[in-house]
Amino acid sequence: KCLRVKTLQSVIVHYQEIALKGRNRPWFVKRLTQNLRDALCDLDITKVQVLIGRIEVVLGPRADWMEVRERIGRLFGIANFSRARKSDRDIQELTKAILNDLLARNVNSFRVTARRADKSYQMTSPDIEKHIGKSIKDSRGWKVDLTNPELVVRIEILPQQAFYSLDRYPGQGGLPSGSSGHVVCLLSGGIDSPVAAYRLMKRGCRVRFVHFH
């Protein structure tokens, strides 16, 4: 049966500390979005856009996923990111799309985690988890493990679309580069100055290095 699933793949970027910035949050999110565009500008990226509480990076057909993952993983201001696929918000279509992608997977245990950015969606997050979890268990026979699963199926419901992902990667955390101005670091031959520079970069500073010999 033909699935109503969009073929475009995306990277869903989540931030953490930025979300606590109150009225200044849009400025920090804009800075992080621009940093993503700059870091990926020479790859096949069709769009970088802000969604509710997250940023979407749309991958083109020639995008090198390993290179995209490495570059995003080096950026400050990111809590975690996932390679995700868009799907119809209809629960049946979403379930079919996930089951189709799981055909290439073979694990012993799994769990489903759902989040709703759109609270008006007809099903609650636990209901989504139970429905899709039961379908996966019936289809693949895998054991449900809510504590230490081999595979976590993550689902995000937004007002116009749904995303699901099967992998998640940690980010560097902190604040986006350039959000805290410029500093100069005296770079010596020891370990203290590089560590200090890294900690400043993680707090959003752009560091200029100076070395005297």
Side-chain angles (χ1 to χ4, degrees):
K1 185 178 180 179
C2 182
L3 302 180
R4 287 190 297 158
V5 182
K6 296 183 178 180
T7 57
L8 286 177
Q9 289 187 329
S10 301
V11 180
I12 300 299
V13 176
H14 290 274
Y15 44 83
Q16 189 171 22
E17 186 174 349
I18 296 175
L20 305 177
K21 293 301 181 180
R23 295 180 180 178
N24 293 325
R25 180 171 59 183
W27 185 85
F28 284 90
V29 173
K30 182 179 179 181
R31 172 62 65 177
L32 178 56
T33 303
Q34 187 58 53
N35 289 350
L36 283 165
R37 291 193 182 104
D38 292 342
L40 305 172
C41 64
D42 60 331
L43 303 178
D44 186 20
I45 304 299
T46 62
K47 186 187 300 183
V48 179
Q49 63 180 349
V50 178
L51 303 178
I52 300 176
R54 51 189 62 74
I55 299 171
E56 179 191 10
V57 179
V58 182
L59 305 179
R62 297 180 303 278
D64 184 343
W65 163 240
M66 299 302 294
E67 183 67 22
V68 171
R69 186 179 73 178
E70 181 180 352
R71 294 190 191 186
I72 294 179
R74 292 199 304 257
L75 289 180
F76 292 105
I78 296 173
N80 57 72
F81 61 98
S82 304
R83 190 179 187 180
R85 192 182 295 276
K86 288 183 183 179
S87 174
D88 196 293
R89 292 190 352 144
D90 177 77
I91 190 64
Q92 301 302 330
E93 297 295 333
L94 179 58
T95 302
K96 291 176 184 177
I98 293 173
L99 291 177
N100 185 62
D101 270 0
L102 288 178
L103 292 176
R105 299 276 180 144
N106 188 19
V107 298
N108 294 316
S109 61
F110 79 101
R111 71 167 293 171
V112 178
T113 301
R115 297 175 60 185
R116 295 181 307 155
D118 180 10
K119 301 301 182 184
S120 65
Y121 190 71
Q122 65 268 25
M123 298 177 68
T124 65
S125 296
D127 289 340
I128 298 171
E129 294 169 356
K130 291 176 184 177
H131 178 90
I132 295 181
K134 182 179 185 303
S135 298
I136 295 174
K137 190 175 189 308
D138 293 343
S139 174
R140 303 306 306 272
W142 298 337
K143 175 186 175 182
V144 176
D145 186 345
L146 301 181
T147 304
N148 189 31
E150 289 185 43
L151 173 68
V152 179
V153 180
R154 294 180 173 85
I155 301 166
E156 303 182 39
I157 305 294
L158 277 67
Q160 303 297 327
Q161 58 209 347
F163 292 94
Y164 65 90
S165 61
L166 307 179
D167 300 287
R168 172 176 284 187
Y169 305 93
Q172 295 288 337
L175 298 175
S177 178
S179 61
S180 299
H182 293 258
V183 298
V184 175
C185 175
L186 179 61
L187 191 65
S188 65
I191 190 62
D192 291 345
S193 53
V195 171
Y198 174 84
R199 292 171 68 93
L200 284 168
M201 292 164 66
K202 193 169 184 177
R203 300 315 302 159
C205 294
R206 292 193 186 275
V207 180
R208 307 290 186 182
F209 294 98
V210 177
H211 179 69
F212 290 94
H213 177 66

